[in-house]
Amino acid sequence: MASTTSPNSPNERNEPNSSGFREKLLTVPPPIEVAGRRIKRYHVTADPAGIAPDVEAAAYAMLPELLPEPDGTPPAAFVVLHRGGDDGAYLNAYSWVWDNVLHFRGASAGQPVLGCPDRDPTHFITPDLPWIGCVWELPPILHERDAWVRHMLAPDVPDLDAYLADSLPEGTTGERS
């Protein structure tokens, strides 16, 4: 199938390169607490140096706006912070609600095609898009689903601390079996 990339399409999401698709690096910083929620974190980038501290700080400053109101579900969430191959940066916040449902809200920076006002990777906005993540951002979702079942739904007594300690191992975004 031919690529539909245009000069206005999002960064590397459809951009061919000389050797085809490449997985990105996945790191797992320690959990944080924001707005009363305990949040597991995943960072995705092609850069071995990781995500720049200013981009990380700007993303996490935006995080309270992405979290739903408490509903009685144990206050847990996970985020994927992705630094694109161009100016783009993306923060996907997945919060557990209604006992077994994922609430999603995302923020983007530096990507004008998504409505960002400029190419500054620290200037996050919340686009009104129904997207839940790209191929590099999706791997944590399966792990987090299984971890939620394993630690919160299946046992007689839910164990939020065990859930928070159970993260997808660092490595790449794919090639896992």
Side-chain angles (χ1 to χ4, degrees):
M1 178 178 209
S3 172
T4 58
T5 303
S6 72
N8 296 325
S9 66
N11 67 24
E12 78 280 72
R13 294 174 193 278
N14 296 316
E15 187 175 294
N17 64 42
S18 61
S19 60
F21 175 81
R22 289 194 179 142
E23 296 291 353
K24 292 189 178 184
L25 301 173
L26 177 84
T27 58
V28 185
I32 58 174
E33 188 168 325
V34 175
R37 285 191 183 270
R38 295 170 70 188
I39 301 172
K40 296 163 72 167
R41 300 185 296 160
Y42 296 97
H43 288 183
V44 173
T45 181
D47 186 346
I51 294 175
D54 60 334
V55 173
E56 182 179 355
Y60 289 123
M62 184 69 150
L63 187 52
E65 295 181 42
L66 306 180
L67 302 174
E69 292 295 319
D71 71 350
T73 301
F78 62 98
V79 297
V80 178
L81 177 56
H82 177 189
R83 186 65 167 95
D86 58 2
D87 296 326
Y90 313 93
L91 179 64
N92 296 341
Y94 304 94
S95 301
W96 290 104
V97 297
W98 209 31
D99 295 326
N100 60 16
V101 173
L102 271 180
H103 171 278
F104 170 77
R105 189 115 192 260
S108 302
Q111 191 55 263
V113 74
L114 298 180
C116 298
D118 52 45
R119 293 196 172 279
D120 180 350
T122 66
H123 188 187
F124 281 86
I125 62 147
T126 53
D128 186 22
L129 294 170
W131 303 348
I132 64 166
C134 73
V135 296
W136 295 286
E137 298 161 355
L138 294 176
I141 293 175
L142 176 59
H143 176 85
E144 292 301 320
R145 179 263 181 215
D146 291 345
W148 190 257
V149 170
R150 191 169 34 254
H151 300 293
M152 301 301 294
L153 300 178
D156 291 334
V157 177
D159 189 343
L160 184 57
D161 289 331
Y163 168 73
L164 291 166
D166 186 346
S167 292
L168 187 62
E170 291 189 350
T172 64
T173 52
E175 301 167 4
R176 298 173 183 271
S177 51

